[in-house]
Amino acid sequence: MADAKVIPFDDDRSRGAAVQRPSRRRSAGNSRLKGEPAVVREVQPLHGEALPQDDVPVTREERPPARSREGGLERRIAGGLAFLRRRLTGDYEVDDFGYDEELTDQVLMSLLRPVYEKYFRVEVKGIENIPDKGGALIVANHSGTLPLDGLMMQVAVHDNHPAGRHLRLLAADLVFVLPVVNELARKAGHTLACAEDAERLLDRGEVVGVMPEGFKGIGKPFSERYKLQRFGRGGFVSTALRAGAPIIPCSIVGAEEIYPMIGNAKTLARLLGFPYFPLTPTFPWLGPLGAIPLPTKWTIQFGEPIETDGYPPEAAEDPMLMFNLTDQVREQIQHTLYKLLVQRRSVFF
């Protein structure tokens, strides 16, 4: 088999292959207790009077459960114990990228949802622009010093799309060399930001998310907020053209202000092997408290899709076409950012 040509999405990300995981099948079963048929006693009205509606006899099946609250608690406990049993016995399924859908739905999304709903109070617009089925590539701006915007975008798709779609994010190689973060990213469905992995996911009909600005976007100073950086060399456009998947521009407002980056300790960043070391009004001066993001109000808007299935197969190798489509996506995101900023009343409200 000939080696696949991998096109990186931007200069900050390198090529790589996804970790291969054996597929494991999980099982689930339902049981239902059957009761004896209820005996209904016929009640006759007295002296020809009409029987009050509340006194109309009902069968046992029609009566509301007497201990519904306790029953709901019991079901949740039983579900939690069943989940733990599957975890301990390995009776669950992951794909060859390491994605664990059950763990993501029941645990990881539950941990992120309070931040999404209560802390950042994310407002989602244009979710209907994501197709109900088939592959699609979401291209978004990147900001915020720490990549929380990608996680919030993942919750937005998971919780708001009517077809219950899952977003598979493409992440920089740094994510997959960090302990703990590496394993959690794989479990949540993230994979390396390279054209090979992205094309495999799109061919499977997955919704894939990419932020072409990379470290240039999240590591830019606060004075350049909401000004899009260069979108790499257009590798994401080439991938979408080969897969025939629509490109959906996505604009995120609110992430820029969670960690206002007023400086960059470049020497310390080189010593630690990081692309930058942020200095904010609170970090590192307040220690661990300085790492708490500001509770800004977010808006995530998914724009009109840019269709690619009408182009011939050789279009993926046309550099001029890739440049034009990349510029079109970038301009659409930037225009929407400006429009959302004009509509925004306050950073926090």
Side-chain angles (χ1 to χ4, degrees):
M1 182 182 293
D3 294 334
K5 181 179 178 183
V6 181
I7 303 176
F9 285 101
D10 56 66
D11 298 334
D12 297 321
R13 294 169 178 162
S14 62
R15 287 182 272 180
V19 174
Q20 299 296 315
R21 299 293 184 90
S23 179
R24 295 179 288 181
R25 177 70 57 182
R26 63 184 179 187
S27 62
N30 296 320
S31 61
R32 184 173 58 87
L33 296 177
K34 298 182 179 179
E36 298 178 357
V39 178
V40 180
R41 180 174 59 88
E42 185 178 357
V43 180
Q44 299 292 337
L46 298 176
H47 307 293
E49 295 178 356
L51 188 67
Q53 184 66 29
D54 293 340
D55 293 336
V56 175
V58 294
T59 63
R60 183 181 303 173
E61 288 76 8
E62 293 172 335
R63 291 172 183 159
R67 304 175 67 88
S68 59
R69 182 176 302 176
E70 290 81 355
L73 178 60
E74 290 173 0
R75 284 194 297 271
R76 288 195 293 269
I77 294 175
L81 292 176
F83 173 79
L84 291 176
R85 178 187 60 79
R86 290 192 295 271
R87 294 287 115 185
L88 294 174
T89 60
D91 189 17
Y92 59 92
E93 186 181 69
V94 298
D95 67 8
D96 53 357
F97 290 95
Y99 175 46
D100 189 333
E101 182 176 343
E102 183 186 39
L103 181 69
T104 300
D105 289 346
Q106 298 194 20
V107 178
L108 301 181
M109 288 294 109
S110 298
L111 294 175
L112 291 172
R113 193 167 290 116
V115 180
Y116 172 91
E117 293 180 347
K118 306 299 183 183
Y119 198 77
F120 293 135
R121 296 147 292 147
V122 181
E123 179 184 0
V124 179
K125 300 179 179 180
I127 192 70
E128 67 278 359
N129 289 319
I130 302 176
D132 291 342
K133 59 182 180 179
L137 183 66
I138 298 178
V139 182
N141 60 305
H142 208 11
S143 61
T145 305
L146 291 181
L148 297 180
D149 50 359
L151 297 176
M152 295 300 103
M153 185 170 65
Q154 187 176 11
V155 180
V157 175
H158 181 277
D159 286 4
N160 292 279
H161 198 278
R165 306 215 65 179
H166 294 73
L167 178 63
R168 307 291 295 271
L169 286 172
L170 304 178
D173 53 357
L174 178 62
V175 172
F176 302 103
V177 299
L178 296 174
V180 181
V181 175
N182 169 31
E183 187 67 21
L184 289 176
R186 290 289 184 190
K187 293 290 187 182
H190 306 175
T191 190
L192 197 66
C194 66
E196 184 182 41
D197 284 4
E199 192 169 352
R200 288 172 60 196
L201 288 171
L202 290 173
D203 288 340
R204 293 181 182 184
E206 299 280 1
V207 179
V208 181
V210 62
M211 296 173 163
E213 291 176 281
F215 292 125
K216 300 185 299 293
I218 57 176
K220 64 177 178 289
F222 188 66
S223 59
E224 297 181 13
R225 59 191 180 279
Y226 297 114
K227 296 178 181 178
L228 293 183
Q229 306 298 300
R230 189 172 63 89
F231 269 21
R233 289 170 286 181
F236 69 90
V237 170
S238 178
T239 300
L241 286 170
R242 281 194 294 269
I247 301 173
I248 302 171
C250 177
S251 303
I252 304 174
V253 166
E256 292 276 15
E257 295 89 0
I258 61 174
Y259 295 110
M261 186 169 165
I262 58 177
N264 181 14
K266 296 182 180 180
T267 302
L268 185 56
R270 284 194 295 267
L271 291 175
L272 296 175
F274 295 158
Y276 57 89
F277 189 88
L279 302 176
T280 74
T282 58
F283 183 82
W285 330 114
L286 298 183
L289 290 177
I292 300 176
L294 297 177
T296 58
K297 176 73 171 63
W298 288 34
T299 301
I300 300 178
Q301 178 162 337
F302 300 96
E304 293 285 342
I306 299 173
E307 301 295 340
T308 64
D309 54 357
Y311 292 96
E314 61 272 13
E317 307 300 328
D318 186 347
M320 185 57 66
L321 177 61
M322 285 198 299
F323 174 81
N324 290 336
L325 286 177
T326 301
D327 191 59
Q328 179 182 350
V329 174
R330 187 179 181 277
E331 288 299 320
Q332 188 168 335
I333 295 174
Q334 184 70 82
H335 176 74
T336 304
L337 285 175
Y338 288 149
K339 184 172 68 173
L340 292 174
L341 288 172
V342 169
Q343 296 172 354
R344 183 171 68 170
R345 293 179 299 145
S346 168
V347 173
F348 299 101
F349 303 102

